[in-house]
Amino acid sequence: MPRLGIGTWENTDPDECTNAVKTALEMGYRHVDTAQIYGNEAEVGRGIAQADVDRESIFLATKVWIDSLEPEAVRTTTEESLEKLGVDYVDLLYVHWPADTYDPKETLPAFQQLVEDGLTERIGVSNFEPEHLETASSVLGADPFANQVEMHPLLPQAELREAVAEMDTEIVAYSPLARGTVFDVPEITAVADKHDVSEAQVSLAWLREKGVTAIPKATSEDHIADNWASRTLELDADDIEKIDGIDRTDRQVDPDFAPW
């Protein structure tokens, strides 16, 4: 799984979404993330189809929404997602939240069946706390490939990272720029000024230093390119210490059905 991807949450303008995916892929990105609830799988699929990049080179992920986690709905909605995306399979299929119709003993075997049938290559979960991961691993007989959660310098997810360190599960960070809030954090700005880069690049480089994959949403070519440039930014020990020492927590995504 490529360490940096293009996120598409709330990218609902059809042309903008398609162009963002196409631009990112032709710039070098190889990880594209979407979800059923985003309402843009068809536009993401068009971006993939228009890009001069082989499908086999792209790590494509989508997520099954909370009202479709019963076994029959898992299959039906996944097949619909594949049709919208214009692909035969996805590289990673997530349980979007452990909520509503999610039942680990029913939902996860349905995901396993999709792997066996070639509709997805890997099973992921999203917004899972350590106890939910433990249950999922027990039911699957293996650790989920990835757990996608909100993570950024204002929500470092220390407990989750500690739990995952003992598992075969990757962390994927959504909202890695705290929906723009990182631009207003003095510690991050200080590191950005030191390296003559953007706060976005600093936050993405910090996540990479933590061994976390980031999927920042971006629509303009400039922002897509700025995020891509973060791959070459090397933070030193002082930079990491400064960011780790930020005394502020700011969770951006907190629905009523969240498990925390």
Side-chain angles (χ1 to χ4, degrees):
M1 178 173 61
R3 277 285 186 219
L4 182 64
I6 180 81
T8 61
W9 184 32
E10 294 188 338
N11 193 347
T12 54
D13 180 279
D15 291 339
E16 193 172 72
C17 182
T18 294
N19 290 335
V21 172
K22 178 179 183 291
T23 297
L25 288 172
E26 294 187 343
M27 192 175 292
Y29 287 75
R30 291 296 180 268
H31 181 172
V32 179
D33 183 89
T34 184
Q36 293 172 355
I37 197 64
Y38 298 174
N40 62 12
E41 288 175 314
E43 288 73 26
V44 169
R46 279 199 288 274
I48 291 171
Q50 290 178 16
D52 188 21
V53 177
D54 292 338
R55 163 67 185 100
E56 292 73 21
S57 301
I58 300 169
F59 189 96
L60 176 61
T62 193
K63 311 174 195 72
V64 180
W65 186 238
I66 63 174
D67 64 359
S68 300
L69 293 170
E70 294 170 335
E72 289 187 8
V74 166
R75 174 170 286 275
T76 299
T77 60
T78 298
E79 290 174 346
E80 291 171 353
S81 291
L82 296 179
E83 184 175 356
K84 290 175 183 176
L85 289 163
V87 297
D88 297 325
Y89 69 96
V90 289
D91 298 85
L92 178 58
L93 185 69
Y94 291 98
V95 175
H96 206 150
W97 292 83
D100 198 357
T101 59
Y102 175 69
D103 178 343
K105 293 182 179 179
E106 297 289 332
T107 302
L108 296 173
F111 273 64
Q112 283 181 309
Q113 188 61 53
L114 295 182
V115 173
E116 293 176 16
D117 294 344
L119 278 66
T120 182
E121 293 196 339
R122 301 166 185 82
I123 297 170
V125 295
S126 186
N127 301 296
F128 275 40
E129 296 285 271
E131 61 267 28
H132 302 101
L133 283 174
E134 185 177 342
T135 299
S137 296
S138 177
V139 172
L140 290 169
D143 296 331
F145 176 78
N147 184 20
Q148 186 176 133
V149 297
E150 179 182 347
M151 183 176 168
H152 43 73
L154 302 179
L155 189 67
Q157 297 282 11
E159 181 183 355
L160 179 63
R161 285 190 286 119
E162 183 177 349
V164 168
E166 301 177 3
M167 303 177 67
D168 248 350
T169 300
E170 301 281 348
I171 295 180
V172 177
Y174 70 74
S175 297
L177 308 181
R179 308 190 81 178
T181 305
V182 298
F183 289 92
D184 301 317
V185 179
E187 295 89 341
I188 297 175
T189 298
V191 175
D193 289 346
K194 171 183 170 180
H195 293 277
D196 194 24
V197 298
S198 68
E199 288 87 350
Q201 288 192 41
V202 170
S203 298
L204 296 173
W206 175 83
L207 285 163
R208 189 181 69 247
E209 290 288 341
K210 301 296 183 185
V212 172
T213 296
I215 48 167
K217 173 200 169 186
T219 53
S220 73
E221 184 172 356
D222 286 348
H223 287 159
I224 293 170
D226 187 62
N227 292 341
W228 188 239
S230 70
R231 297 175 307 120
T232 59
L233 173 59
E234 297 294 336
L235 301 179
D236 61 34
D238 289 342
D239 299 330
I240 299 297
E241 183 178 3
K242 184 182 289 290
I243 297 169
D244 286 348
I246 294 172
D247 187 20
R248 174 182 170 188
T249 300
D250 195 345
R251 184 187 287 276
Q252 299 291 314
V253 181
D254 193 16
D256 292 341
F257 53 77
W260 40 81

